[in-house]
Amino acid sequence: MLTNRQFGMQLILLILLLALVAAKSKISAVREDIADYKDYKKLLRTKNNVLALYVSNPKEAAAELKVFREAADGIRGTGTMLYVDCSNQERKKLCKKLKVTPKPYVLRHYKDGEYHKDYDRQLTVESMITFMRDPTGDLPWEEDPAGADVLHFNDGASFTKHLRKDIRPMMVMFHVPWCGFCKRMKPDYSKAATELKTHGGYVMAAMNVERHENAPVRKLFNLTGFPTLIYFENGKMRFTYEGENTKDALVAFMLNPNLKPTPKPKEAEWSADTNSEIVHLTTQGFEAVLKDEKSALVMFYAPWCGHCKNMKPEYEKAALEMKEKNVPGMLAALDATKESAIGEKYKVKGYPTVKYFSYGVFKFDVNVREASKIVDFMRDPKEPPPPPPPEKSWEDEEDSTEVIFPNEETFSSILKRKKHALVMFYAPWCGHCKHTKPEFTAAANAMQDDPRVAFVAIDCTKYVNLCAKYNVRGYPTFIYFSYLKTKLDYNGGRNSEDFIAYMKNPPSPKEHSEL
């Protein structure tokens, strides 16, 4: 039997031991064990997202190191944080080999095993985490000096708190990082904020609703298109701004919001361009125009289609070059949203679709969108070789029996039963996906005996809505789920060993926000 004193001493020792373990686990998010150049190169080969902090004196870089450690806790599983003390005798050679001369520190990012760039964001935990989640992304708007006069709301709580306390007229631009229109509008919006600052009494604000924590705001205002600009007065929403996205129009509206804004100019129809060398076809004249042309290329397009807009200047350029160099043939275009009967006749299902005709008879589809390739084709129009036979789907491969392939209906029910699930969102044509498939499959096979773990694959060419729900914009994209209640982007290595190591010690669900 233990005496009370002996029991008390053992309890104290246990508490001290737990405290020591907790302290060690707290700093384990930062790699500090690299001293040899070979180990350093191995790390870069196996980890594709590494941020390294080199210091000449830990005391002089204490503030930066503190931020670095805190950020490391926030990006577990999405990247690797490496700390190298160049004043340490063991690591001096490594710093010299890397030609690193920190004064007192240097922050460098490595992507896919190669030096990417010096860290150029703010030295804050939030900025560092944002950077590591998307190292190749644009500078966050809130860190751009040009947008210093725009009030940025980080989350719904700060937004609602501001509405309760500040009754000044306020415009809020709800945006997402991938939106091209948002990117083009930001400079004008920032300039409007700066000009209105001189008038006083007006607020130009912005919120990135791509962030998971801002999903309730996105739902509240039914935000489906971006940017969406909403005007508030006395802490309450009045209406959505529908005027021009220019600095002058924004300033004029804020100074007099009751004045009806100038509507956005309507984009002129392509067929109205009298200087164009493109022949614009209609249903009525389609066959009559083409029947006498030995060689004609027809671009079926939709006015709202972004890919069509990108191809339009190339198509125009090709037509002009053909005229100047006497290349035989005609380049024509048809608005398939207006002339739907022709589009249906020739089975046009996407835009732009380019088809080759000879004397009014359809011959074959052509996949050319650049001016030089269009002209080369018209010099010597030949039918492209038939596509190779379709590859066997991943789901049908014999060694993929342990990878789960749900559909949009079964996805939720399957993941709700799994404590740890790693989902690979992929496209069959993606080269990186093809390279990763056997590694992902090997990891699934290796952990098949653990009923808590699931390796899941979603074909985004089949299940578009499911991939859109989780904001998948590149392939492959990996997301970790726990009972479908929590999720975390996975940006670690893509070898089977990396997947296995991650799933054997996955992040704690408590560290991450709910879906």
Side-chain angles (χ1 to χ4, degrees):
M1 290 286 293
L2 291 173
T3 65
N4 288 341
R5 180 179 175 82
Q6 289 172 324
F7 178 77
M9 289 298 294
Q10 289 194 4
L11 183 61
I12 291 171
L13 288 171
L14 178 61
I15 292 171
L16 289 173
L17 179 62
L18 290 174
L20 181 62
V21 171
K24 286 185 176 181
S25 64
K26 189 174 181 180
I27 64 171
S28 63
V30 177
R31 292 288 301 269
E32 301 184 39
D33 57 329
I34 304 297
D36 183 73
Y37 183 70
K38 289 183 179 179
D39 292 336
Y40 168 85
K41 295 298 288 185
K42 182 180 179 181
L43 176 72
L44 295 190
R45 283 197 307 272
T46 56
K47 305 296 180 182
N48 62 358
N49 183 20
V50 179
L51 186 63
L53 172 65
Y54 306 91
V55 302
S56 59
N57 186 320
K59 290 184 179 179
E60 292 181 10
E64 290 78 13
L65 181 56
K66 182 176 183 295
V67 170
F68 192 75
R69 290 194 189 285
E70 290 179 10
D73 288 330
I75 63 154
R76 288 176 185 266
T78 64
T80 302
M81 307 288 267
L82 172 65
Y83 170 62
V84 181
D85 178 5
C86 294
S87 66
N88 180 281
Q89 195 63 37
E90 282 186 291
R91 290 160 179 79
K92 276 185 178 179
K93 289 183 179 179
L94 176 61
C95 294
K96 187 175 181 181
K97 180 82 173 176
L98 298 174
K99 298 180 181 179
V100 176
T101 53
K103 295 180 181 179
Y105 73 92
V106 170
L107 269 166
R108 289 184 177 175
H109 184 258
Y110 301 85
K111 184 176 181 295
D112 298 327
E114 301 290 340
Y115 168 76
H116 173 219
K117 62 189 290 189
D118 280 8
Y119 179 79
D120 56 358
R121 305 282 179 85
Q122 293 179 359
L123 282 170
T124 65
V125 173
E126 184 177 336
S127 292
M128 210 167 278
I129 291 174
T130 300
F131 173 81
M132 288 297 284
R133 286 175 178 169
D134 186 12
T136 60
D138 296 331
L139 179 72
W141 194 6
E142 57 267 29
E143 294 186 23
D144 187 347
D149 296 319
V150 176
L151 174 63
H152 293 276
F153 295 116
N154 291 324
D155 50 48
S158 61
F159 173 59
T160 53
K161 182 179 179 181
H162 182 90
L163 286 178
R164 287 197 302 268
K165 292 187 175 183
D166 196 334
I167 61 172
R168 290 179 296 170
M170 178 173 71
M171 177 85 80
V172 182
M173 175 177 165
F174 297 98
H175 64 97
V176 289
W178 47 263
C179 164
F181 292 109
C182 304
K183 292 178 181 179
R184 288 195 288 274
M185 186 178 177
K186 283 178 184 178
D188 276 282
Y189 197 84
S190 297
K191 290 175 184 176
T194 300
E195 184 168 328
L196 286 165
K197 188 177 180 181
T198 63
H199 292 274
Y202 302 93
V203 179
M204 297 293 281
M207 177 182 280
N208 176 5
V209 290
E210 178 77 350
R211 293 175 179 169
H212 175 69
E213 59 267 27
N214 293 337
V217 176
R218 193 167 176 168
K219 185 176 180 181
L220 176 65
F221 294 108
N222 192 26
L223 302 173
T224 56
F226 304 101
T228 294
L229 281 71
I230 299 180
Y231 177 70
F232 296 82
E233 264 186 16
N234 297 317
K236 296 181 180 180
M237 173 185 171
R238 281 196 60 190
F239 41 72
T240 301
Y241 174 77
E242 298 290 349
E244 291 186 83
N245 297 338
T246 64
K247 186 262 292 183
D248 291 339
L250 289 165
V251 171
F253 171 83
M254 291 299 290
L255 295 177
N256 188 2
N258 295 314
L259 184 68
K260 190 174 181 179
T262 304
K264 298 175 185 178
K266 188 177 179 181
E267 191 173 343
E269 292 187 11
W270 188 9
S271 57
D273 185 359
T274 56
N275 296 317
S276 175
E277 296 294 334
I278 303 298
V279 176
H280 288 274
L281 303 172
T282 62
T283 301
Q284 187 176 359
F286 190 86
E287 293 180 358
V289 172
L290 294 182
K291 71 177 184 178
D292 295 325
E293 286 293 333
K294 180 182 178 181
S295 181
L297 209 57
V298 180
M299 172 183 168
F300 295 81
Y301 71 96
W304 44 259
C305 160
H307 293 298
C308 303
K309 291 178 181 179
N310 290 336
M311 181 178 171
K312 177 182 169 182
E314 294 292 316
Y315 207 54
E316 292 277 10
K317 183 179 176 182
L320 188 61
E321 187 175 336
M322 286 173 61
K323 181 181 179 180
E324 292 172 349
K325 296 182 178 180
N326 294 316
V327 177
M330 171 198 290
L331 296 189
L334 180 133
D335 182 347
T337 62
K338 276 187 176 182
E339 316 295 341
S340 57
I342 295 294
E344 289 173 8
K345 179 179 179 179
Y346 292 102
K347 299 178 181 179
V348 174
K349 297 181 180 179
Y351 308 112
T353 292
V354 183
K355 294 179 178 288
Y356 180 71
F357 292 79
S358 180
Y359 296 119
V361 178
F362 166 67
K363 295 298 183 180
F364 47 81
D365 287 339
V366 181
N367 185 23
V368 287
R369 296 189 182 183
E370 297 173 10
S372 59
K373 292 182 179 179
I374 294 169
V375 174
D376 288 343
F377 171 82
M378 292 302 286
R379 282 196 178 103
D380 185 19
K382 290 181 179 178
E383 184 174 3
E391 296 181 15
K392 182 183 288 188
S393 70
W394 188 5
E395 190 171 357
D396 295 332
E397 293 177 7
E398 294 179 2
D399 62 347
S400 298
T401 55
E402 299 306 323
V403 177
I404 300 173
F405 298 90
N407 56 34
E408 290 178 337
E409 287 72 34
T410 60
F411 181 84
S412 296
S413 60
I414 291 173
L415 265 69
K416 282 179 181 177
R417 299 196 300 268
K418 295 297 180 179
K419 184 174 182 180
H420 307 299
L422 189 60
V423 181
M424 175 175 166
F425 296 88
Y426 74 97
W429 47 259
C430 160
H432 293 297
C433 303
K434 291 177 182 179
H435 179 75
T436 306
K437 275 165 53 179
E439 299 293 332
F440 197 75
T441 299
N445 293 340
M447 299 192 73
Q448 61 180 301
D449 294 331
D450 190 338
R452 303 170 305 163
V453 174
F455 287 81
V456 180
I458 296 294
D459 181 351
C460 289
T461 63
K462 282 185 179 179
Y463 307 115
V464 177
N465 293 334
L466 186 58
C467 295
K469 178 180 179 180
Y470 293 106
N471 299 315
V472 175
R473 295 192 183 84
Y475 308 116
T477 289
F478 298 91
I479 300 179
Y480 165 83
F481 293 87
S482 178
Y483 296 125
L484 202 63
K485 292 181 179 179
T486 58
K487 80 179 183 76
L488 175 67
D489 292 338
Y490 171 88
N491 289 315
R494 296 182 182 178
N495 294 328
S496 59
E497 295 85 357
D498 298 310
F499 294 133
I500 293 169
Y502 182 87
M503 295 300 277
K504 282 185 176 179
N505 186 25
S508 169
K510 295 180 181 179
E511 298 176 14
H512 310 294
S513 56
E514 293 190 352
L515 284 170

